[in-house]
């Protein structure tokens, strides 16, 4: 019998208990051993809950119970999750987490402590919710040199962008609706400003390089400035707009970024709509593989946590390989990365189509039927720095979106 404790009985924590209890027979059959939840740690009481008797408020009860070998940390936030996880690992208890904030901030240290104490720090649920992506990077893709990872890593913003496109709606209206439907947080900043996706690509980049890619090294731009007219330009060109998180090399210089991008049908991420996530991983031998599914939500995320619990139960006193060192990977700024840009201008006597076409070495000028007061160009291929230099010379830029070819 494997006994586990769940820290935090919120959405994911209660999902973990549900998956372990509902699928207990199936899990026992596969593992040859039964997994049982012995404790649930939470500050709150849960009167009437079928698991009410498992709730404790004092973490030392769990820490000191030698029967408990695995901890599911589903509290979120850095503290006290960091201190609790560290203490568990130091006593040889494995920790399985969905907490991307903690993994991005202290992942490699916790992995090292786990190794030193012959247990495991597992974090499949921290990126892509229920989608298996950490385990493929750590095991199936080991023979590969990973050349790039590009993903839609945030369900909330993908839901908002999909609805804006399909219903020709404003960002603010769709955000409000998403909040009412429970798809967006009351404080949506981490999602809509790209910070959540930034933490996730920092984690994936660290696994890609085997060294720590700090979240601060990820250039981050959110979706708050995207408007229905951007989708009109996009659709007139056969593109859609997605918040992409990417990590790759530009002439040997690694960079990671999150920003809205125009992508067309030939990109497999084009079809990833709604709350779903999709992650494209390019290996130097294998080429592209894509991982798709529910990137958030109670049971998908809980299922990923339980997958890690089962892995820990299969590897008692054995450290499962995870190549993520504490040393920092030097990342480069995106300034020297080249691409095309879609740039929108207010049409004035100083900002004319021929002038902007020439300044931005544009291959195309687009004027929408509905709006003669503005136009857009698709620039020639240029670096971010070049684009900025040119854009500084123009007063009437209404917006810019990068194009991912
Ligand atoms: N807020 C996150 C999202 C939850 O929308 O994807 C899953 O990490």
């Amino acid at each position: 019998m494997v006994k586990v404790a769940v820290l935090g009985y919120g959405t994911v924590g209660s999902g973990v208990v549900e998956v372990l209890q509902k699928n207990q027979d199936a899990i026992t059959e596969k593992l040859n051993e039964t997994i049982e939840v012995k404790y649930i740690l939470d500050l709150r009481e849960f009167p009437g809950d079928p698991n009410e008797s498992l709730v404790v408020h004092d973490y030392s009860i769990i820490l000191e119970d030698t029967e408990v070998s695995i901890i599911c940390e589903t509290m979120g936030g850095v503290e006290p999750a960091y201190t609790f996880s560290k203490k568990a690992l130091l006593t040889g208890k494995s920790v399985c987490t969905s907490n991307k904030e903690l993994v991005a901030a202290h992942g490699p240290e916790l992995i090292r402590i786990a190794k030193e104490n012959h247990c495991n720090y597992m974090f499949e649920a921290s990126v892509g919710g229920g989608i298996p992506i950490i385990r493929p990077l750590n095991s199936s893709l080991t023979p590969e040199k990973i050349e790039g990872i590009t993903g839609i890593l945030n369900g909330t913003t993908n839901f908002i962008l999909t609805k804006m496109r399909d219903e020709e709606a404003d960002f603010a209206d769709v955000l409000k609706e998403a909040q009412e439907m429970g798809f967006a947080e009351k404080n949506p900043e981490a999602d809509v400003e790209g910070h959540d996706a930034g933490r996730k690509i920092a984690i994936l980049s660290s696994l890609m390089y085997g060294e720590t890619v700090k979240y601060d090294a990820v250039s981050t731009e959110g979706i708050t400035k995207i408007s229905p007219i951007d989708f009109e330009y996009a659709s007139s060109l056969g593109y859609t707009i997605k918040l992409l998180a990417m990590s790759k090399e530009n002439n040997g210089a690694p960079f990671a970024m999150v920003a809205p991008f125009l992508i067309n049908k030939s990109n497999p991420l084009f079809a990833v709509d709604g709350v779903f996530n999709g992650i494209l991983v390019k290996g130097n031998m294998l080429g592209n593989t894509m991982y798709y599914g529910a990137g958030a939500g109670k049971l998908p995320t809980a299922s990923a946590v339980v997958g890690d619990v089962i892995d820990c139960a299969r590897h008692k006193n054995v450290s499962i390989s995870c190549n993520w060192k504490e040393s920092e990977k030097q990342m480069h700024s995106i300034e020297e990365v080249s691409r095309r840009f879609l740039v929108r201008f207010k049409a004035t006597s100083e900002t004319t189509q021929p002038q902007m076409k020439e300044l931005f070495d544009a291959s195309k000028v687009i004027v929408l039927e509905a709006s003669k007061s503005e136009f857009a160009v698709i620039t020639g291929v240029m670096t971010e720095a070049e684009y900025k230099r040119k854009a500084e010379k123009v007063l009437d830029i209404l917006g810019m979106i990068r194009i991912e070819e």
Side-chain angles (χ1 to χ4, degrees):
M1 173 81 79
V2 177
K3 305 242 179 186
V4 309
V6 177
L7 312 187
Y9 200 41
T11 307
V12 181
S14 61
V16 167
V17 177
E18 189 175 333
V19 172
L20 281 169
Q21 291 176 345
K22 278 204 176 142
N23 280 1
Q24 193 175 52
D25 291 349
I27 293 169
T28 304
E29 166 85 23
K30 288 173 196 162
L31 182 64
N32 247 330
E33 207 175 355
T34 300
I35 301 180
E36 194 183 86
V37 180
K38 186 163 183 185
Y39 301 108
I40 296 167
L41 181 81
D42 205 289
L43 290 171
R44 300 162 293 179
E45 303 289 350
F46 295 90
D49 187 285
N51 298 300
E52 189 186 354
S53 63
L54 306 180
V55 176
V56 295
H57 308 296
D58 178 1
Y59 186 47
S60 62
I61 297 171
I62 296 170
L63 264 188
E64 285 160 19
D65 188 332
T66 51
E67 263 192 359
V68 174
S69 57
I70 303 168
I71 306 273
C72 303
E73 185 272 295
T74 51
M75 310 173 80
V78 173
E79 281 295 359
Y82 172 55
T83 304
F84 285 4
S85 300
K86 207 166 165 173
K87 283 187 174 170
L89 297 169
L90 287 167
T91 60
K93 297 184 199 300
S94 289
V95 176
C96 304
T97 188
S98 57
N99 187 341
K100 64 221 152 194
E101 212 179 325
L102 179 56
V103 176
H106 295 287
E109 183 199 355
L110 296 170
I111 290 165
R112 174 180 52 76
I113 296 172
K115 271 186 196 152
E116 287 166 0
N117 290 278
H118 312 289
C119 56
N120 287 289
Y121 185 65
M122 309 284 277
F123 48 95
E124 180 61 75
S126 66
V127 180
I131 305 171
I133 180 64
I134 304 294
R135 195 164 282 104
L137 284 171
N138 269 340
S139 59
S140 330
L141 299 174
T142 315
E144 294 294 312
K145 179 179 180 311
I146 306 297
E147 293 181 336
I149 299 178
T150 306
I152 293 172
L153 297 179
N154 182 268
T156 306
T157 45
N158 204 39
F159 172 84
I160 293 173
L161 290 175
T162 305
K163 235 174 155 36
M164 284 178 74
R165 180 195 65 199
D166 294 349
E167 297 175 11
E168 295 169 22
D170 277 320
F171 169 76
D173 294 339
V174 178
L175 172 62
K176 197 161 164 263
E177 203 182 322
Q179 285 170 317
E180 281 160 9
M181 291 166 80
F183 288 135
E185 306 274 349
K186 274 201 193 94
N187 178 357
E189 194 186 329
D191 291 318
V192 300
E193 296 294 356
H195 304 148
D196 175 81
R199 287 197 183 94
K200 292 167 178 168
I201 197 69
I203 295 171
L204 296 183
S205 306
S206 301
L207 294 174
M208 173 170 157
Y209 293 113
E211 286 191 289
T212 301
V213 173
K214 292 216 166 140
Y215 164 63
D216 302 348
V218 180
S219 158
T220 306
E221 186 181 308
I223 62 161
T224 55
K225 293 192 197 116
I226 302 293
S227 68
I229 203 154
D230 290 317
F231 280 100
E232 282 186 53
Y233 283 110
S235 85
S236 77
L237 296 159
Y239 287 115
T240 192
I241 303 167
K242 295 289 179 191
L243 184 71
L244 297 185
M246 63 175 66
S247 184
K248 44 177 123 168
E249 288 188 0
N250 175 47
N251 299 322
F255 71 94
M257 70 184 294
V258 175
F261 276 87
L262 289 162
I263 57 172
N264 67 21
K265 280 200 176 94
S266 66
N267 189 321
L269 296 170
F270 185 92
V272 177
D273 278 343
V275 291
F276 285 92
N277 284 192
I279 308 154
L280 261 180
V281 179
K282 188 170 182 213
N284 66 335
M285 296 291 134
L286 176 64
N288 277 330
T289 48
M290 177 150 155
Y291 306 82
Y292 169 85
K298 175 176 167 164
L299 293 177
T301 309
S303 175
V305 175
V306 174
D308 281 346
V309 170
I310 295 168
D311 218 1
C312 289
R314 281 190 177 129
H315 294 89
K316 288 184 189 121
N317 303 315
V318 175
S319 176
I320 301 163
S321 159
C322 177
N323 182 29
W324 181 353
K325 295 179 203 72
E326 284 167 280
S327 55
E328 187 178 344
K329 174 77 182 171
Q330 280 311 310
M331 301 297 280
H332 291 249
S333 93
I334 62 170
E335 293 292 286
E336 294 311 313
V337 179
S338 296
R339 59 176 87 256
R340 291 179 193 274
F341 302 81
L342 175 90
V343 194
R344 283 172 51 209
F345 305 92
K346 187 171 161 198
T348 64
S349 53
E350 287 91 50
T351 314
T352 63
Q353 292 177 28
Q355 282 168 330
M356 294 307 109
K357 195 165 184 265
E358 194 188 329
L359 177 63
F360 286 93
D361 190 23
S363 54
K364 202 173 171 72
V365 176
I366 312 131
V367 183
L368 294 173
E369 277 289 308
S371 177
K372 302 280 185 238
S373 62
E374 68 163 273
F375 65 95
V377 303
I378 295 201
T379 70
V381 175
M382 62 184 71
T383 65
E384 296 263 349
E386 268 177 273
Y387 167 76
K388 264 196 213 158
R389 275 198 298 277
K390 289 175 192 284
E392 271 163 16
K393 295 183 190 155
V394 187
L395 277 180
D396 297 307
I397 291 187
L398 298 171
M400 174 278 276
I401 306 181
R402 296 167 179 86
I403 302 175
E404 174 72 351
E405 314 273 9

